Amino acid sequence: MTIPEGGAVPMTTRCTNGAHDQHDVYEAQCPCRAMLDLLANKWAALAIGALEGGPQRFGAVQRRLKGVSPKVLTQTLRRLEDAGLVDRTVYPAVPLHVEYELTELGHGAAVPLGALRAWVEENLDRSPATV
């Protein structure tokens, strides 16, 4: 691989679905941006972390993510499900029993997100101002 002038290493991957030649999050029209936007969302990143331990009901996820409203958590879990990161299973019972769990893709996303959460916790006090 040739590194272009300026030293930036290209971060492209060949597109396997035929939508375009290669993925590049720096390109305005790349569909990668939608996934990056989802994973960079605070509640999505925290929900993925909360589900790393296995399937959980909505209430358990909400209790873990202190401060999230039911509406925002519902929207977040739906977006994660639509993106293939979370599975939602409904068990026929009265009342309905619904569980959320990470898919294989979701477990893959959990790894770098876990590293990011750990970095934030370890380095926040080094920041000159709290964001």
Side-chain angles (χ1 to χ4, degrees):
M1 166 174 51
T2 304
I3 297 177
E5 193 174 318
V9 178
M11 298 298 291
T12 58
T13 303
R14 192 131 193 89
C15 179
T16 57
N17 64 11
H20 53 279
D21 288 340
Q22 45 192 3
H23 297 304
D24 183 352
V25 295
Y26 293 101
E27 289 293 328
Q29 301 304 315
C30 185
C32 294
R33 286 202 177 178
M35 181 65 81
L36 181 62
D37 180 55
L38 175 59
L39 294 174
N41 175 275
K42 168 180 67 177
W43 295 120
L46 293 173
I48 288 171
L51 292 169
E52 282 184 278
Q56 293 190 42
R57 295 179 75 164
F58 183 90
V61 176
Q62 186 178 21
R63 283 187 296 278
R64 179 78 172 114
L65 276 58
K66 295 170 179 62
V68 68
S69 71
K71 177 182 177 182
V72 170
L73 182 55
T74 297
Q75 291 170 341
T76 300
L77 290 170
R78 283 183 185 156
R79 287 184 67 201
L80 292 170
E81 183 181 10
D82 290 345
L85 298 166
V86 168
D87 276 335
R88 178 180 183 265
T89 304
V90 179
Y91 297 94
V94 178
L96 283 179
H97 176 104
V98 179
E99 286 187 344
Y100 297 89
E101 67 180 311
L102 294 178
T103 62
E104 183 179 338
L105 187 63
H107 280 288
V111 174
L113 290 173
L116 178 60
R117 288 189 308 271
W119 182 91
V120 168
E121 290 172 348
E122 292 168 10
N123 291 283
L124 182 64
D125 293 336
R126 296 175 57 196
S127 175
T130 307
V131 181

